[in-house]
Amino acid sequence: MSMNLFNNKTLGLLLAGLALNCANVACVSAQNPVETNKPSADYKPAFEGQTRIAGVKTSTALDISILNESLENPWAISVLPNGGFLITQKQGTMVILTADGKSSKKITGLPKVDASGQGGLLDVTIDPNFAKNRMVYWAYSEPQDKGVLLAIAKGKLAANETSIENQTVIYRATPSYGGKLQYGSRIVFDKSGNLFVSTGERSGGDIRIQAQYLNSSLGKILHLTTDGKAVANGPFAGKADARPEIYALGLRNPDGLAINPQTGDLWEAEFGPKGGDEVNLIKPGKNYGWPIITYGTEYSGKQVGDGIQQKEGMEQPVYFWNPSISPGCITFYNGTSIPEWKGNLFVGGLGGSHIIRLVIKNNKVVGEERLLEGKGERFRDMVEKDGALYSVTDNGKLYKIAKK
């Protein structure tokens, strides 16, 4: 089946029967898929709706504004209890912005980072009890005697908000590696106060197979306590030659990680090689296939491995893109200001230079929209606050997307 025939069939089914959860949100009509470019590999999807789903369009009038244009290569953004923002900057500093996005304070004295390539000061999140304990957790590329590795650290934000006190590295994703790409590194708190951490497989052809190894931290979702220990009774606990902190494996460069607030499910988005960017529903103990199965190709155009997309014992992505959009982050919309967005997954595109809205029903993507096209921005991270989306870009901007 050709990609065009697949799309036409899918679109016909959607146009005939798609309701997009009209009982809860404003209905929108299905349109042509938003992706019109030729895929870099014409691999057949495993099921209808796995790629190039029918397009949708937000009916609510939106107000797009830029709150700040002076950030220095921001990488991650987290919302503080007072409505302000805590932002990491790739070269090794954090900044605190007021609730209106204006500059406030710079946090220095953080650990040395290797900011070359895709490394630097990466994700940041605050403790669920931050209002009481002021604890901050962050990820960064830590230089070693031989190579670089992803480190997860924590510390207490000082009262003057210009330093982090009692900094401690709680986990190092080993082995270290000489390459400077694909660290992954998102950090998400679960409902029990433990951490989910995503790690990249570090890109190199000589190391990426470790995404399949249970004795390696690379290419994984890890489940850690706030002290960096394995959460008890993980799916590989007690298994010989396996790291007990591993929650899921077979990931390439998972830069997006979020929990659906409506269901409690853990979702992940990752870069494919050339094409094959994925969104996955993460389940404990599951193998997501990289580098054995993929809907992408090598950057040279050659097939990855045996060039297969399905294999028994390996999970299929809920959705994939080909050509690449380079998903830099994901977040769920749980606000009330824009009812038609409730429960939708938003993906920040880097190479794609837009924000993607995915309408999800019963854990399937049923509609896709592109927002902020034409801005020329790489949307690095995104959060929701008070019914609006806020996104930081590689160009140093903080965008606000709200109801007009």
Side-chain angles (χ1 to χ4, degrees):
M1 182 184 295
S2 73
M3 186 65 74
N4 287 336
L5 286 175
F6 171 79
N7 286 335
N8 289 340
K9 182 178 180 181
T10 301
L11 181 58
L13 289 171
L14 287 164
L15 289 171
L18 183 60
L20 289 183
N21 203 13
C22 289
N24 298 316
V25 300
C27 290
V28 291
S29 59
Q31 305 174 12
N32 290 327
V34 296
E35 182 59 76
T36 58
N37 292 318
K38 182 180 178 181
S40 55
D42 198 11
Y43 293 138
K44 180 182 177 181
F47 54 85
E48 292 180 352
Q50 194 181 20
T51 191
R52 300 196 181 214
I53 199 68
V56 296
K57 186 173 177 59
T58 299
S59 60
T60 303
L62 300 177
D63 180 44
I64 312 296
S65 56
I66 299 174
L67 304 184
N68 196 306
E69 299 183 68
S70 61
L71 299 170
E72 300 171 4
N73 211 175
W75 208 95
I77 180 171
S78 189
V79 180
L80 295 169
N82 64 2
F85 301 98
L86 177 64
I87 296 173
T88 56
Q89 300 185 130
K90 188 176 185 294
Q91 298 301 319
T93 59
M94 297 183 195
V95 292
I96 293 178
L97 305 184
T98 53
D100 59 2
K102 306 305 179 186
S103 295
S104 178
K105 295 179 180 179
K106 179 176 283 190
I107 300 169
T108 58
L110 294 164
K112 180 181 178 181
V113 305
D114 184 330
S116 58
Q118 293 173 353
L121 186 57
L122 305 172
D123 202 25
V124 66
T125 192
I126 62 172
D127 193 285
N129 295 316
F130 178 87
K132 294 182 178 179
N133 63 27
R134 300 183 65 80
M135 292 299 294
V136 176
Y137 295 77
W138 67 94
Y140 67 102
S141 53
E142 182 183 61
Q144 304 290 302
D145 290 339
K146 294 183 179 180
V148 189
L149 55 71
L150 175 70
I152 309 299
K154 69 177 181 180
K156 181 178 180 180
L157 180 63
N160 64 8
E161 297 186 334
T162 61
S163 65
I164 301 287
E165 300 171 344
N166 301 320
Q167 298 179 42
T168 305
V169 174
I170 63 171
Y171 189 85
R172 290 180 170 93
T174 56
S176 60
Y177 182 66
K180 305 299 179 68
L181 302 176
Q182 297 180 191
Y183 294 92
S185 88
R186 294 295 177 187
I187 307 170
V188 174
F189 273 94
D190 69 12
K191 63 181 180 181
S192 299
N194 296 311
L195 306 172
F196 286 115
V197 174
S198 67
T199 68
E201 40 74 283
R202 304 300 307 279
S203 180
D206 58 338
I207 197 168
R208 64 188 183 185
I209 190 59
Q210 291 200 19
Q212 291 292 316
Y213 294 175
L214 290 175
N215 62 358
S216 168
S217 298
L218 307 184
K220 307 296 192 298
I221 301 295
L222 308 174
H223 204 190
L224 305 173
T225 68
T226 54
D227 291 325
K229 306 300 183 183
V231 173
N233 302 315
F236 301 105
K239 183 178 177 65
D241 202 28
R243 299 192 178 191
E245 66 269 24
I246 294 175
Y247 188 81
L249 68 151
L251 306 173
R252 186 174 183 269
N253 189 26
D255 268 7
L257 197 65
I259 291 176
N260 185 334
Q262 296 184 347
T263 66
D265 291 330
L266 181 65
W267 290 70
E268 174 260 3
E270 66 181 76
F271 291 74
K274 185 179 182 182
D277 296 341
E278 297 180 0
V279 170
N280 291 293
L281 177 57
I282 301 296
K283 298 293 186 180
K286 297 299 184 181
N287 184 340
Y288 291 84
W290 177 259
I292 308 301
I293 61 173
T294 179
Y295 286 94
T297 64
E298 302 285 8
Y299 293 111
S300 66
K302 295 181 179 180
Q303 67 183 27
V304 176
D306 293 333
I308 60 174
Q309 292 73 57
Q310 300 179 47
K311 186 177 177 66
E312 186 177 357
M314 294 183 176
E315 302 301 302
Q316 283 291 306
V318 173
Y319 198 69
F320 73 86
W321 292 272
N322 198 324
S324 294
I325 54 93
S326 304
C329 61
I330 59 174
T331 193
F332 282 92
Y333 184 86
N334 198 39
T336 57
S337 298
I338 307 175
E340 62 190 299
W341 284 6
K342 189 79 169 182
N344 291 180
L345 181 65
F346 288 80
V347 183
L350 297 173
S353 299
H354 56 267
I355 291 173
I356 298 151
R357 170 193 171 213
L358 295 179
V359 183
I360 295 174
K361 188 175 182 180
N362 298 323
N363 290 333
K364 301 292 185 183
V365 175
V366 297
E368 180 176 4
E369 180 178 15
R370 290 182 174 180
L371 302 169
L372 278 72
E373 284 188 290
K375 302 292 186 182
E377 300 284 0
R378 291 167 57 87
F379 295 94
R380 180 63 64 175
D381 197 18
M382 185 166 31
V383 292
E384 182 216 326
K385 184 186 77 165
D386 299 332
L389 291 175
Y390 295 80
S391 181
V392 289
T393 74
D394 283 358
N395 285 335
K397 296 176 183 176
L398 173 61
Y399 276 83
K400 179 182 180 180
I401 309 165
K403 180 180 179 179
K404 185 171 287 186

